[in-house]
Amino acid sequence: MRLLHTSDWHLGRSFHRVGLLEAQAVFLDHLVATVRAHEVDAVLVAGDVYDRAVPPLPAVELFDTALHRLAEAGIPTVMISGNHDSARRLGVGAGLIGRAGIHLRTDPAGIGTPVVLSDGHGDVALYGLPYLEPALVRERLGAAKAGHEAVLAAAMDRVRADLATRPAGTRSVVLAHAFVAGGEPSDSERDITVGGVAAVPAGIFDGVDYVALGHLHGSQTLTPRVRYSGSPLAYSFSETDHRKTMWLIDLGAHGALTDAVRLDCPVPRPLARIRGRLDDLLADPALTPHEQAWVEATLTDPVRPAEPMNRLAERFPHTLHLVFDPERTGDHTGASYAERLRDRSDQQIAEDFVAHVRGGAALDGAERTVLYGAFDDVRVDTAEREVGR
């Protein structure tokens, strides 16, 4: 049986205020084309369909269109809710939609009830484990204690119990949305830490032929049978080096994983992280390949340059994020900020603060005039308020 494993669409999300709905639509076009071209038997979507619990209407319409296209193609789809989704909203109409071959698994009560598909080697039972918030599902699942590991263990007990009742040779697939130990996170996943422990061991899924994971945005293989597809698009500059893909999985007789291939997703625009002094970044010929990329620039100038974003945009018109990390000057003493405050006037403290955040560069005459004028205005305003009381 050929499975296409994807996750973390985050429909409705933007990238540093740049809307991604068009790029997400291109991805879903690519998904449907891939299903047809590779003769996929089932699509697995491992959570975070939407970026937030109440998604914008254009994102809902895009999702609706994708479901219709998959249904029209006659491709069974199993989809779970993630920690960004509203499980109840995503699951509305699940029973009716299921008749069209789109199986939404958003209710923990259905964990032990798989979608059963068949091929020449027999049945494949696909179990959907939606994101399980420990505080909300512990009692319902009869977990021994609170925490992600305990509730996932209880969920997998239900999966194994159902699997034990099925004919010998039934193969098994689990979809789960979780942080599994060994996975590499990025900056764009919402923290799911509970009680200081978010990661669960991969061994919690033992006994299953394939585990399609969602939540982490980088494509990763934790074991040959436990994999993250990653998100189809980059959602932070920490994903600059990610290769965005889906997994094409061939599940053979007796649960053998006969093939696992990464299929690339369309890239709307490459990402680049550049670092250095502003004048150097504007002149460096080695940065030419990044001129049409979405750029995060870290400026190391000792003194903050004037209009840095405007100047960067002349060469890198798609600069989206600016970071300042000034080089430390040679006379930087390493003294703590608190030590530099001792016996200093308000004006001196303000000057010290500006120099501190700029790596030791002192105010020039014009800046000092502006600063002192601000202090004078505050003093005058305070005096007037005292008189008016």
Side-chain angles (χ1 to χ4, degrees):
M1 183 167 290
R2 176 160 288 178
L3 309 171
L4 186 65
H5 168 197
T6 177
S7 73
D8 295 274
W9 296 353
H10 289 277
L11 300 181
R13 187 161 182 161
S14 60
F15 184 78
H16 289 273
R17 298 179 298 281
V18 174
L20 292 177
L21 203 65
E22 182 177 342
Q24 290 168 337
V26 170
F27 160 69
L28 291 173
D29 288 343
H30 172 71
L31 172 70
V32 174
T34 298
V35 163
R36 296 180 183 277
H38 290 272
E39 299 181 340
V40 169
D41 296 305
V43 175
L44 314 178
V45 186
D48 280 354
V49 173
Y50 292 121
D51 189 56
R52 55 182 185 267
V54 184
L57 183 58
V60 177
E61 292 172 339
L62 182 58
F63 177 61
D64 181 64
T65 300
L67 294 190
H68 276 84
R69 294 177 67 187
L70 288 168
E72 289 168 1
I75 306 301
T77 300
V78 182
M79 184 176 297
I80 62 173
S81 51
N83 60 302
H84 279 249
D85 299 308
S86 164
R88 294 191 66 181
R89 286 188 174 90
L90 185 63
V92 169
L96 185 61
I97 295 171
R99 297 180 186 177
I102 307 296
H103 306 280
L104 300 175
R105 293 294 185 261
T106 64
D107 187 348
I111 283 172
T113 305
V115 175
V116 180
L117 304 177
S118 299
D119 63 7
H121 300 295
D123 289 346
V124 178
L126 299 101
Y127 298 88
L129 278 59
Y131 171 68
L132 301 172
E133 180 60 51
L136 301 179
V137 303
R138 175 188 175 185
E139 292 185 2
R140 293 178 65 185
L141 295 179
K145 56 183 179 180
H148 287 281
E149 183 174 352
V151 296
L152 268 174
M156 285 303 301
D157 285 344
R158 294 192 178 192
V159 168
R160 295 187 190 95
D162 178 83
L163 194 56
T165 68
R166 299 193 173 272
T170 298
R171 290 158 291 166
S172 55
V173 173
V174 164
L175 290 77
H177 196 86
F179 184 4
V180 179
E184 282 291 329
S186 63
D187 292 343
S188 56
E189 299 112 7
R190 181 181 298 159
D191 185 21
I192 60 171
T193 301
V194 174
V197 179
V200 302
I204 211 164
F205 299 106
D206 285 352
V208 175
D209 295 316
Y210 183 70
V211 181
L213 292 175
H215 180 58
L216 300 186
H217 289 180
S219 178
Q220 302 170 59
T221 300
L222 304 186
T223 76
R225 296 182 180 276
V226 181
R227 301 171 187 256
Y228 281 101
S229 67
S231 60
L233 300 174
Y235 294 118
S236 74
F237 278 104
S238 66
E239 300 169 56
T240 298
D241 296 329
H242 285 190
R243 175 188 164 199
K244 296 302 184 181
T245 59
M246 300 178 285
W247 282 111
L248 189 66
I249 301 295
D250 285 343
L251 198 61
H254 312 295
L257 197 66
T258 59
D259 206 3
V261 178
R262 290 177 69 185
L263 302 179
D264 291 298
C265 297
V267 178
R269 190 178 295 279
L271 307 185
R273 278 176 152 172
I274 60 177
R275 179 184 179 89
R277 295 192 176 198
L278 178 57
D279 289 340
D280 294 338
L281 296 180
L282 296 177
D284 188 351
L287 300 181
T288 299
H290 303 319
E291 289 179 351
Q292 295 305 313
W294 279 323
V295 169
E296 177 188 74
T298 298
L299 301 185
T300 61
D301 301 70
V303 178
R304 180 170 179 151
E307 299 185 332
M309 184 63 89
N310 290 339
R311 293 175 62 190
L312 278 167
E314 293 177 2
R315 183 180 185 189
F316 307 102
H318 304 288
T319 301
L320 300 182
H321 192 214
L322 196 56
V323 179
F324 292 96
D325 186 15
E327 300 167 354
R328 297 300 180 186
T329 59
D331 60 353
H332 182 66
T333 65
S336 71
Y337 183 57
E339 291 171 339
R340 293 196 295 274
L341 293 184
R342 292 174 184 166
D343 302 320
R344 313 291 284 172
S345 68
D346 289 345
Q347 292 92 334
Q348 290 170 325
I349 290 171
E351 286 195 43
D352 287 349
F353 173 77
V354 173
H356 174 69
V357 299
R358 296 203 308 197
L363 277 71
D364 61 26
E367 291 171 327
R368 189 173 286 109
T369 297
V370 171
L371 183 62
Y372 283 6
F375 275 103
D376 287 339
D377 289 343
V378 170
R379 278 194 293 271
V380 170
D381 181 70
T382 300
E384 290 176 344
R385 289 173 182 273
E386 288 294 330
V387 170
R389 285 180 179 177

